[in-house]
Every structure is written in structure tokens, then in C-alpha cells.
Amino acid sequence: MGGSAGKRPGRRGTAAAGAVGADAAAWVAPAGSWASSAARRRNMQAIRSRDTSPELALRSLVHAEGLRYRVAAKPLPGMRRTADLLFRPTRVAVFVDGCFWHGCPEHFVPPKTNPSYWESKISGNVSRDRDTDERLADEGWLVLRFWAHQSPEECADAVVAAVVARRGELAERKRRRLEGKQGCPGAGPPAG
């Protein structure tokens, strides 16, 4: 009953367990791969693109405030980018950006290994972020971006305030539209 619960039996000391070292020595990068080693490739493939700790913390706090949202959803049809939280009726898109991947001005430290690759990769991410912000704003969306190092509580407060404000704006527009229809000739109750 000790510490072996959940481990696969029979793997320790077998040829299969030692094959990782042998595979790494004979490893050849697949065509077009950026990976410098088998270990680096495994590491990079394991990095999450959604459900990160900062994202989960933010989602939990926003959900606790009674707001409901879509997770990892595309804000616009045909857009190959996903928002971390999406409030469709109010058109609020929330992104939680990792400090490394999105070039945080406070915490980003460029890697010393393969610097030209990483410089173009990170600058491409930042450029894509700005393009996403612009495209969504042009379509009437409010874009909220937070860094992974920011306090989840502060981020949740900002998200809740933005969604509640946008709901109020929508309700006001709807009220005005209804009042306008009632004031138009022929829009009132039938004469009679």
C-alpha cells in the first residue's frame, strides 16, 4: 500500500526504461523541427496552452462571482485565436498571458540558447497579440489582457467590473431602442 499506488509495475530496470537514454543518444530531429534534443522536444510539447494555474485561479474567482463564460473559445468566426475566457453577449474577451511566451516587460528574460529563434518567436507572439486586440476592438469587443504574475483577485475584479458595465450598456441600448420604436409613427398600439 506504500508509495507504489498509481505506478505502472514492471517498468523499473527493464529494457524499456533504459531505452529513453539510448533513444536520446540516437535521436534525430524530425524534418522542420525546432527541437534541439529529444528532451527539449518532450519538454516543449508538455507546456500547456490552456488551463494554466493563473487561468484556473481567475476562472474560479470569476465563476464564484456568478459570471458564466466560454473557455478557450474563438471570439470571431474564422479567427484562429482563442480567448482564455469569453463573454459573448457582452463581447468581452479575456487573455491571461504567460510572462515568457508573451514577453512580459517585468519578467521576460531571453534564453541564451538559440536566441535568434526565441527572439523571433516571442516578438511574433507579441505582434499577434496586438493584431488580435485590434481585430477584436474593430468588431466591438472589449479585450482584457493580464499577465500570469498579476494577482488573480485584481484580475477577477477587473473582469467582473467590465462585464457588469457592458451588461449595463447593453440594457441601456435595448431600452433606448424600445423607446424609439414606441415613439415612431405606426409603432404604437393599434388605433381603435
Side-chain angles (χ1 to χ4, degrees):
M1 286 267 206
S4 64
K7 293 184 180 177
R8 291 175 30 189
R11 298 283 295 174
R12 190 173 181 180
T14 65
V20 172
D23 287 347
W27 185 78
V28 176
S33 176
W34 43 261
S36 56
S37 69
R40 173 58 50 208
R41 184 175 175 84
R42 275 193 311 277
N43 176 272
M44 296 298 287
Q45 287 177 330
I47 294 172
R48 294 174 172 261
S49 61
R50 61 174 276 180
D51 298 336
T52 61
S53 296
E55 189 181 323
L56 291 173
L58 176 61
R59 286 183 358 209
S60 175
L61 292 167
V62 169
H63 192 274
E65 290 294 324
L67 297 181
R68 300 302 177 255
Y69 45 83
R70 299 281 177 202
V71 175
K74 295 178 183 180
L76 300 175
M79 182 179 246
R80 290 187 54 211
R81 298 157 195 173
T82 60
D84 296 318
L85 282 80
L86 196 66
F87 301 86
R88 278 197 208 283
T90 56
R91 291 186 170 223
V92 176
V94 180
F95 297 88
V96 181
D97 295 336
C99 291
F100 176 77
W101 296 106
H102 297 271
C104 172
E106 290 180 44
H107 299 108
F108 177 70
V109 177
K112 291 182 173 75
T113 305
N114 204 359
S116 62
Y117 168 80
W118 287 110
E119 182 180 331
S120 68
K121 171 70 175 161
I122 302 304
S123 65
N125 289 350
V126 172
S127 172
R128 188 171 49 252
D129 291 345
R130 298 300 76 81
D131 178 61
T132 300
D133 296 349
E134 188 177 308
R135 288 172 62 185
L136 289 174
D138 289 347
E139 294 290 331
W141 286 78
L142 172 64
V143 177
L144 300 176
R145 283 195 179 272
F146 302 103
W147 291 110
H149 69 263
Q150 287 181 271
S151 159
E153 292 79 11
E154 291 174 14
C155 298
D157 290 345
V159 170
V160 170
V163 171
V164 168
R166 296 281 288 218
R167 281 181 179 168
E169 292 169 13
L170 284 173
E172 181 62 24
R173 269 188 263 154
K174 186 175 181 179
R175 186 185 63 75
R176 284 188 198 146
R177 200 172 32 237
L178 290 174
E179 285 177 355
K181 284 183 180 179
Q182 291 173 353
C184 292

